[in-house]
Amino acid sequence: FLKERSYLTRMMLNANPPVIHAHWQYEFAWAALSSRIPTLVTCHDAPFKVLKAQTDLYRLLRLFMAIIVIRKAKFLTAVSPYTATHINTITSKQVIVIPNFEPESTFCRYSEKTRPERPVKIIMINNGFYGIKNVAAGIRAFAEFRKTDPFAELHLFGDEHGPGGNAHRWALAKGIAGSVRFFGQVIFDELMNHLSTASVLLHVSKEESCPMVLVEAMAMGVPVVAGEDSGGVPWVLKDGGGMLVNLSSTDAILAGLNKVLNPSKFKSYSAKGRSSAVERFSQSVIIDQYICKLKAISL
């Protein structure tokens, strides 16, 4: 990305700001650091983990780029403690945790939820079916859930989850495609409309840095069932809003779904998730943290 980095650096020097906030510890941050203008670098992923999940030459080169950037940077933030811990395998510098935020438009979709609507609608949102996304585990758990609630529906969104996609073909081959609706990729507003009316978000990814789909669900009062050992996931849910489960066990995922959908507990999960999202991931809260950090850097 030499040509792109050179252009970006030149444009930053032309603008001559007192401070730069560079997102992603790759070509964008490298361009900002080359300007020698005080720069805050925000790390959104763990590059060693990315290479492990996508083992190819391109990801290897990006790992080298991340190492260069992280070692050059004086000021670093990460979007979760999980990400910060991995960045600290590359540098001993302090890495401050400031998560991503959700815009007010997401929080405005909230409506108080006292019990799950009927029929129960479980939603899964993933780009990619195989590998760490682990979507098959969620479909299996849903097939078991339907044995006690035959009217329940599972709605799948994201790349590879539309009609004829990997998720659809896999479910058909296993004979468990019944009551699963394969939406695939849809525009963001439509996706948020679907999520806001869901009974529960089932998120079975084995590893995420700071999964904003969890925050989106929490902001709307939708309880979450997710992995207890899935990177930054437990930190997002540390103040409530859902159940953390063992993703290697279909029974554990099923138990998590049954627990959050229990009418006597559903309201509590919904309310705690909403409260946590407002207090920790709202726009004003996060921007204030960044402004404070940027002011300190620019002095």
Side-chain angles (χ1 to χ4, degrees), residues 9-31:
T9 300
R10 189 164 66 252
M11 292 300 101
M12 293 176 198
L13 288 170
N14 287 344
N16 194 30
V19 65
I20 297 172
H21 186 187
H23 287 266
W24 298 96
Q25 64 278 19
Y26 300 103
E27 64 271 23
F28 304 110
W30 197 351

Side-chain angles (χ1 to χ4, degrees), residues 6-233:
S6 298
Y7 177 82
L8 286 168
T9 300
R10 189 164 66 252
M11 292 300 101
M12 293 176 198
L13 288 170
N14 287 344
N16 194 30
V19 65
I20 297 172
H21 186 187
H23 287 266
W24 298 96
Q25 64 278 19
Y26 300 103
E27 64 271 23
F28 304 110
W30 197 351
L33 292 169
S34 296
S35 73
R36 299 189 182 277
I37 296 169
T39 297
L40 175 64
V41 175
T42 289
C43 303
H44 288 268
D45 65 21
F48 284 105
K49 293 291 185 178
V50 172
L51 178 62
K52 183 178 178 181
Q54 297 173 276
T55 307
D56 55 41
L57 179 59
Y58 178 70
R59 297 296 170 181
L60 177 62
L61 292 172
R62 289 189 73 76
L63 169 62
F64 292 149
M65 191 186 305
I67 291 172
I68 291 169
V69 168
I70 290 166
R71 290 183 174 175
K72 279 178 175 286
K74 291 183 179 179
F75 309 103
L76 292 159
T77 68
V79 293
S80 70
Y82 171 78
T83 307
T85 297
H86 284 277
I87 298 303
N88 276 139
T89 64
I90 299 172
T91 180
S92 59
K93 301 181 188 108
Q94 181 185 31
V95 182
I96 296 173
V97 175
I98 303 178
N100 296 320
F101 68 80
E102 279 297 326
E104 186 59 30
S105 58
T106 300
F107 286 91
C108 287
R109 297 176 188 270
Y110 170 75
S111 60
E112 185 179 6
K113 297 173 176 61
T114 58
R115 59 180 55 244
E117 298 289 337
R118 306 296 299 181
V120 166
K121 183 173 76 174
I122 300 168
I123 189 170
M124 297 178 69
I125 303 171
N126 295 277
N127 281 320
F129 176 75
Y130 294 105
I132 63 172
K133 295 302 180 181
N134 194 35
V135 178
I139 301 177
R140 287 193 190 96
F142 171 71
E144 293 299 313
F145 184 84
R146 280 193 71 222
K147 291 178 180 179
T148 56
D149 189 345
F151 296 103
E153 297 179 354
L154 175 64
H155 293 192
L156 300 184
F157 292 88
D159 186 37
E160 300 183 27
H161 295 86
N166 284 336
H168 190 195
R169 293 198 302 271
W170 181 90
L172 286 172
K174 299 295 182 181
I176 53 176
S179 291
V180 181
R181 298 183 62 186
F182 300 89
F183 288 88
Q185 291 183 312
V186 300
I187 61 173
F188 184 73
D189 280 349
E190 182 182 346
L191 179 62
M192 291 298 99
N193 285 338
H194 280 279
L195 180 56
S196 68
T197 60
S199 306
V200 60
L201 171 70
L202 177 57
H203 189 75
V204 293
S205 176
K206 295 179 181 178
E207 187 174 346
E208 300 284 349
S209 291
C210 183
M212 295 311 293
V213 67
L214 271 64
V215 180
E216 288 157 357
M218 292 160 61
M220 300 176 196
V222 176
V224 175
V225 174
E228 63 186 8
D229 190 29
S230 297
V233 169

